[in-house]
Amino acid sequence: MRSIKKQKEVLLGVTGGIAAYKAAEIVRLLRKNDCSVTVVMTESAKQFITPLTFESLTGRHVYSGLFDPQSPSAMEHIELSKKSDLLLIAPATANIIGKAAHGVADDLLSCLLMTVIKPIIIAPAMNANMYLSSVVQENISCLRKRGVKIIGPEKGELACGDEGPGRLAEVESIVDAVKTELKTREKLNGKEVLVTAGPTREPMDPVRFISNPSSGKMGFALATEALKRGAEVTLISGPTKQEPLPGIKFIPVVTAREMKEEVFKCLAKIDIVIMAAAVGDYQPVRYSKQKIKKDKELLVLEFKKTIDILAEIGKKKGNKILIGFAAETEQLAGNAKGKLKKKNLDIIVANEIGISESGFQSDFNKTVILTKGGKQEELPLMSKTNLAGKILDMLNPYLISSLTTTKKFSRLK
Ligand code: CTP
């Protein structure tokens, strides 16, 4: 195992299962790999292993209750989540997995699951029947869709004597997963990322506009993922119901023209542009200051093209990496290839719209990703959170070094 270069802060949640004793070895290995570890135990974990063991191994206070008088801070769930680079729960019982999936926050660890915006890795360990029960499987799949990494469990003989899946994954595999995740999360350190999201609205009179059903979910997921990977993120979005995470510089806009103006105001400092917005292609030629009355049987409006923001950026690309989207109802790859070339992009994500399970409004997207260098990857239907990670992974070959803080990039040929 290669060690992690910089000292990282890992928050280790230990829950009440027989495998809790293995968490001591996880702490030892993480520390050997240049991680500082803070342990948060649930009350039932203390039935299996004592806080003193972890205090001795980490050299730190071990946290447990929400209202612990020994705790150095009254807002522990906030303080700990701010300081950490990653939350690992190992072993994770069916109970904590259920709480994580359904938003129950009745102790410190379950509160942390909600306050932590850093990566979360969960290593389940429980009886095989419990693990295979439909409720646990549904909860795990729900967490996966939200971007939580699940490691294990493994098959084998369980503490109760049963055979089957339920053993905590090997300690080395868990620590390797932590290291991989921490490395990924440093990929965009020092990079300035601009993401656009949502629809634009082109007004025709004070009460009417032309727009599209974009929810902004894809763009907001990309902004969140870029933030998690260490980037400085600016998010310019048309009207949506989404809330940007604290830490993202958020600029709300309404029209394509406003979006273009805001994009060009900040473009000089940007390294990576991701145009996920569904920018309106046409705007009414004339805007009526007064409400258009319904006195005609047939209303004919004239529209003119809006500016293609992405194509304009493409003309002044310089060293920037440009990622565009292509919303298509047919010939995904073919149409996207044309847009990739025409707009001078490095990567284009073609997403299928017009079907209920993918695209506008949906939490999922079915995409084909194409690069300037001729790579083409067809991805299955997946959550927009997970797709955001996949798209940002596509940037890896462009980055000179995962740990660099310079603004240089290498190009894919
Ligand atoms: N885009 C843009 N400005 C516009 C229209 C689109 O910057 N006025 C960007 C989108 O954000 C997206 C890409 O261009 O990243 C492709 O958008 P899409 O709507 O798929 O295609 P268009 O280029 O508008 O072409 P068409 O509508 O004919 O498919």
Side-chain angles (χ1 to χ4, degrees):
M1 289 192 284
R2 263 182 54 213
S3 71
I4 303 155
K5 280 184 186 156
K6 231 172 59 196
Q7 196 80 15
K8 289 283 169 190
E9 283 291 339
V10 174
L11 210 47
L12 172 62
V14 182
T15 65
I18 196 79
Y21 75 95
K22 293 187 185 169
E25 181 61 5
I26 295 176
V27 172
R28 200 188 63 78
L29 261 184
L30 283 172
R31 294 208 60 191
K32 222 173 135 193
N33 280 279
D34 303 324
C35 291
S36 298
V37 185
T38 304
V39 174
V40 179
M41 299 178 79
T42 59
E43 280 308 315
S44 41
K46 291 185 200 161
Q47 304 292 323
F48 294 90
I49 186 164
T50 66
L52 186 62
T53 308
F54 293 118
E55 251 164 42
S56 313
L57 288 169
T58 61
R60 289 179 169 184
H61 178 74
V62 170
Y63 296 85
S64 185
L66 261 178
F67 311 105
D68 181 359
Q70 308 288 319
S71 281
S73 160
M75 303 285 271
E76 222 57 79
H77 56 303
I78 311 289
E79 294 302 319
L80 289 172
S81 59
K82 275 187 189 159
K83 276 189 275 182
S84 69
D85 293 303
L86 182 144
L87 169 63
L88 165 68
I89 304 186
T93 55
N95 186 41
I96 195 74
I97 289 169
K99 286 187 193 180
H102 297 282
V104 178
D106 61 356
D107 62 5
L108 182 59
L109 187 57
S110 49
C111 281
L112 278 167
L113 276 160
M114 271 174 242
T115 50
V116 158
I117 63 150
K118 314 289 166 42
I120 299 174
I121 300 179
I122 288 183
M126 65 196 76
N127 166 271
N129 288 343
M130 237 172 149
Y131 175 70
L132 294 172
S133 69
S134 52
V135 66
V136 170
Q137 289 303 308
E138 277 165 26
N139 287 341
I140 286 180
S141 124
C142 157
L143 292 175
R144 275 209 176 98
K145 279 178 207 151
R146 286 189 211 147
V148 172
K149 295 265 172 319
I150 308 288
I151 172 136
E154 288 180 3
K155 278 188 185 161
E157 196 186 332
L158 305 173
C160 54
D162 286 355
E163 286 269 344
R167 282 172 66 90
L168 184 73
E170 288 302 324
V171 167
E172 286 79 8
S173 316
I174 294 174
V175 173
D176 270 343
V178 169
K179 286 164 56 187
T180 307
E181 201 57 30
L182 287 172
K183 266 167 72 186
T184 304
R185 300 296 154 169
E186 287 180 329
K187 285 269 154 72
L188 295 177
N189 264 358
K191 304 287 185 258
E192 293 269 358
V193 175
L194 169 64
V195 182
T196 65
T200 58
R201 285 180 184 172
E202 309 304 326
M204 52 191 76
D205 72 7
V207 294
R208 301 182 184 96
F209 57 79
I210 177 167
S211 188
N212 61 66
S214 168
S215 62
K217 287 175 186 169
M218 191 65 244
F220 277 68
L222 280 158
T224 301
E225 188 61 24
L227 182 79
K228 287 183 178 178
R229 293 181 184 214
E232 290 290 323
V233 184
T234 303
L235 174 62
I236 301 176
S237 176
T240 75
K241 289 182 186 153
Q242 314 301 316
E243 278 292 327
L245 280 182
I248 292 176
K249 185 177 176 206
F250 181 62
I251 305 172
V253 295
V254 177
T255 63
R257 192 173 162 187
E258 282 170 21
M259 184 170 277
K260 184 221 143 194
E261 279 166 10
E262 291 301 335
V263 164
F264 278 88
K265 262 188 220 166
C266 64
L267 199 60
K269 62 167 189 172
I270 299 295
D271 301 304
I272 300 160
V273 180
I274 311 176
M275 280 292 301
V279 188
D281 290 327
Y282 288 93
Q283 67 183 89
V285 172
R286 274 172 294 279
Y287 173 77
S288 165
K289 280 190 187 154
Q290 306 305 329
K291 183 183 169 196
I292 302 170
K293 288 290 179 190
K294 56 169 186 188
D295 47 9
K296 293 182 199 123
E297 275 309 308
L298 186 68
L299 176 69
V300 179
L301 289 172
E302 271 189 305
F303 290 92
K304 61 180 178 192
K305 259 190 182 171
T306 56
I307 189 158
D308 191 314
I309 307 171
L310 189 53
E312 287 304 303
I313 305 170
K315 287 179 195 159
K316 307 175 178 112
K317 187 169 177 291
N319 280 338
K320 294 182 204 313
I321 297 177
L322 291 195
I323 304 181
F325 274 72
E328 306 293 347
T329 50
E330 54 172 356
Q331 295 178 37
L332 253 69
N335 287 336
K337 210 178 259 178
K339 290 177 189 176
L340 177 88
K341 201 158 174 235
K342 194 169 147 207
K343 304 195 188 197
N344 196 17
L345 310 179
D346 295 287
I347 297 169
I348 193 154
V349 183
N351 63 316
E352 201 168 339
I353 51 164
I355 52 169
S356 58
E357 67 270 29
S358 166
F360 289 148
Q361 297 289 328
S362 168
D363 288 332
F364 299 87
N365 244 345
K366 189 167 183 299
T367 55
V368 180
I369 304 185
L370 295 96
T371 72
K372 192 179 174 179
K375 275 193 191 160
Q376 185 169 320
E377 195 178 345
E378 195 160 330
L379 297 173
L381 187 71
M382 65 172 75
S383 72
K384 288 182 176 174
T385 304
N386 288 340
L387 178 60
K390 286 264 177 205
I391 295 170
L392 294 185
D393 284 348
M394 299 290 289
L395 289 171
N396 293 346
Y398 293 74
L399 307 171
I400 287 172
S401 148
S402 61
L403 297 176
T404 187
T405 51
T406 68
K407 299 208 164 202
K408 290 183 201 154
F409 297 97
S410 63
R411 299 267 146 236
L412 265 190
K413 290 282 165 244

